[in-house]
Amino acid sequence: MLEVKDLHVTVEGSEILKGLNLTVNPGEVHALMGPNGAGKSTLSAVVAGKDGYEVTSGEVLFEGKNLLEMEIEERALAGILLGFQYPVEIPGVKNIYLLKAALNAQRVARGEEEIPAPEFMKLVREQLSFMKMDGSFLQRAVNEGFSGGEKKRNEILQMLVLQPKLAMLDEIDSGLDIDAMKVVAEGVNSLRSADRAILMVTHYQRLLEHIVPDHVHVLVDGRIVKSGDKDLANELEARGYEWVLEESAA
Amino acid sequence: MSAAHAFLQRLGERVDDEPTWVAARRQAGAERFEALGFPTKRDEAWKYTDVRRIAEGEFTLADDAELDEARFAALDMPLDAHRLVFVDGVFSAALSDLTELPEGVSIEPLTTAMRTNHEAIGGAIGRLAGVDFSPFTALNVALSEEGAVVRIGQGVVVDKPIYVVFASRANESARMSHPRVLVMAGARSQSTVVEHYAGEAGAANFTNVVSEVMLERGAIVDHYKLQEASTEDLHVASIHVEQSRDSRFTSFNLNLGGALVRTDLVTDLNAQGAETNYNGLFFVQGRQHVDNHTLVRHNAPNTFSDENYKGILNDRARGVFNGKVVVKRDSQQIEANQNNANLLLSDRAEIDTKPELEIYADDVKCSHGATTGQLDEEAVFALRTRGIDEQMARGLLTLAFAGEVMDRVRLPVIAERVERAVAGKLPERFNLADLVEVSDALEEA
């Protein structure tokens, strides 16, 4: 589904990713871990199409297509959705407008009719209650005045409504208390399916107790230096990153 | 020969059968205008607005109001309203609809009102905006021929909006008009008055309107000025409001069209309990120029004003906002809030904003603020990552900026029209209205 090949990326002149390779297949859940400054968030930013990241070499393919040539919205319509570490507040744009505009953009891109209002509301309300959010969220401006936990739940709500093929979660656990983490994890887990993939970027192992990954990768200094299964995350929790660094240096 | 003198010559022989007092007033306007001349950039109030295109223009007064229904329908709003229509300043009985006026309400063209009721309106007209306010009001007094006169009796709640349409035709040669609007709102009456300036594409006329709105004790008036003339039209408007005790005036000054637009809005709060609310929104692109000068005079204690003006400027458009609040000596317990926010969608657009406060009392609560910024690119990116295309993302954010003003608009037809103009390609407003309905229904279930 997602193939990242020898990706080199510079930000403001300094190289952050230095030959990153990663393959994510349908049905898989991947966790990208690593110390601060390793370039974890850079990968999701490049995949989403954020400005200011210069790809100097390598490629990123999504379902065989060159992702780097696609507009930001085209990537979303192709099925990639990024859950932000710091979701942006958008004063004046109601949540419900965003959800409806986004869902209809998807449907129109697939050549379908726009969704009728009753059907849309039913869908949204189901997901809303799943995320333990009340109806007033819909009428509030996107993320405006939301607590940290509410913002993260709102990101997952968008995923549940939009049903991406590849969900990328950038530090979705940061700033969450344990109850909020459980709700967020349940939301993410409900997305798991044979034809969907999830790529989580996280600093802590804690999230992975709730969303159990199939693959764990350690990113150090712009490269994946070690991959394994969920046990690798446990090991990292117990021993820290030092030993991986030593191992990769050796 | 001065530009001012040349302008006055065009009145010609049109008005030689007028009553003496009308002719005398016209003469006074002409003299005043000739003495003042067109304003220049050396005049503080016109520092940023160059009116040479008006002064050097060749405009004639229109003789007819011919506009077939199809052409009119393209300009008219589908408002269920009492309708008074002027075409290039000339009254059109055919396009107007004043058939079902409620008791206590009179809506007439100025010429009719002058003929049949001149003792009632002769003193009122020009009382708030005479020849001294500006060269353009003087010019209006000199050249005005027609207009709308609305009188609302004591305690009357007018059932429908009073909708005055000023249609500007795409003529072979440029026309000018100097209409007047007079609204006399009786005590405890309630009404909505819409002035709509609409123009055909390519119309390049000059409109110089003066409106006076008088609110007696406890009267409530919602006043809309929707200006969406063609981008070659020249438009100068002066709106003067006088408020008695416990009256409430709410203005919506919505500017979308015009090449050169100047609006002055002045309110005198003359007795306690009077409240005035100014809501303004302008959206300009290309090389449009819009200038809003507002003034609130708190002439009595316990009076309130609230002003919120928003400007959206694209391309090389230019905007001016000058908002002044004056609190008269010893007018205590005043509350006055003023806010002006501007959104620049292009690097070459420009706005000059100047809030002014003059306070001669000590027990007052006044605030003012002005901001100018661009669209939040982080927000544009966030919306695009949800599959919303860039144009729609920018449209949504632009509309969100205008939302604070638009949410207060109580006539959905106007809100929708302005939203479409501002946001361009967007999900239909009515789909959104549907959503809210369905959402409410589900909540109850």
Side-chain angles (χ1 to χ4, degrees), chain B residues 399 406-407 414-424 426 429:
Chain B
L399 194 58
M406 294 314 297
D407 286 349
I414 292 182
E416 192 195 336
R417 205 165 168 111
V418 176
E419 283 182 5
R420 287 235 172 110
V422 169
L426 262 196
R429 179 187 165 84

Side-chain angles (χ1 to χ4, degrees), chain B residues 394-440:
Chain B
R394 291 184 184 280
L396 272 171
L397 293 171
T398 306
L399 194 58
F401 175 81
E404 220 179 303
V405 169
M406 294 314 297
D407 286 349
R408 297 187 194 174
V409 169
R410 283 180 280 259
L411 295 174
V413 172
I414 292 182
E416 192 195 336
R417 205 165 168 111
V418 176
E419 283 182 5
R420 287 235 172 110
V422 169
K425 184 185 138 202
L426 262 196
E428 296 268 315
R429 179 187 165 84
F430 282 108
N431 286 352
L432 296 174
D434 277 359
L435 278 182
V436 177
E437 227 166 82
V438 174
S439 140
D440 291 347

Side-chain angles (χ1 to χ4, degrees), chain A residues 23-228:
Chain A
T23 300
V24 178
N25 295 309
E28 296 177 349
V29 176
H30 290 245
L32 194 56
M33 303 186 69
N36 285 331
K40 299 190 300 290
S41 292
T42 300
L43 177 65
S44 48
V46 168
V47 172
K50 197 166 167 52
D51 253 5
Y53 295 81
E54 194 195 343
V55 175
T56 50
S57 69
E59 56 180 351
V60 182
L61 302 177
F62 184 69
E63 295 185 322
K65 278 180 286 202
N66 183 354
L67 196 68
L68 301 176
E69 280 181 357
M70 293 161 77
E71 294 289 339
I72 298 159
E73 54 269 27
E74 286 171 358
R75 302 177 193 205
L77 296 174
I80 298 173
L81 218 55
L82 171 63
F84 287 88
Q85 180 178 8
Y86 303 112
V88 184
E89 298 194 8
I90 313 181
V93 175
K94 287 180 182 177
N95 248 332
I96 192 154
Y97 290 15
L98 166 64
L99 289 170
K100 188 160 191 261
L103 187 63
N104 278 333
Q106 255 188 18
R107 290 171 70 114
V108 169
R110 286 199 299 259
E112 295 169 13
E113 293 277 294
E114 294 197 352
I115 188 166
E119 199 183 311
F120 173 73
M121 282 313 304
K122 191 164 171 289
L123 169 76
V124 169
R125 294 206 156 259
E126 276 170 16
Q127 306 298 5
L128 205 58
S129 73
F130 189 79
M131 290 310 292
K132 301 194 166 48
M133 297 162 83
D134 71 61
S136 68
F137 272 94
L138 297 178
Q139 301 299 332
R140 287 168 67 185
V142 178
N143 296 326
E144 195 183 26
F146 284 24
S147 71
E150 286 172 340
K151 285 180 182 171
K152 295 300 174 72
R153 273 192 272 176
N154 206 31
E155 293 293 286
I156 305 302
L157 174 73
Q158 290 168 21
M159 300 231 167
L160 295 180
V161 170
L162 297 173
Q163 297 281 316
K165 290 178 187 166
L166 173 65
M168 293 189 301
L169 306 170
D170 192 3
E171 306 269 7
I172 198 75
D173 51 334
S174 64
L176 289 187
D177 61 37
I178 189 67
D179 293 329
M181 166 113 70
K182 280 181 180 161
V183 175
V184 164
E186 256 178 72
V188 174
N189 284 327
S190 77
L191 280 170
R192 296 180 86 142
S193 79
D195 50 9
R196 235 194 294 280
I198 295 167
L199 175 59
M200 293 180 284
V201 169
T202 181
H203 188 69
Y204 302 105
Q205 187 267 346
R206 194 174 67 141
L207 175 72
L208 307 183
E209 289 170 14
H210 301 280
I211 309 169
V212 181
D214 304 304
H215 302 275
V216 174
H217 312 278
V218 183
L219 186 69
V220 175
D221 194 25
R223 255 182 241 114
I224 288 177
V225 294
K226 193 169 185 65
S227 295

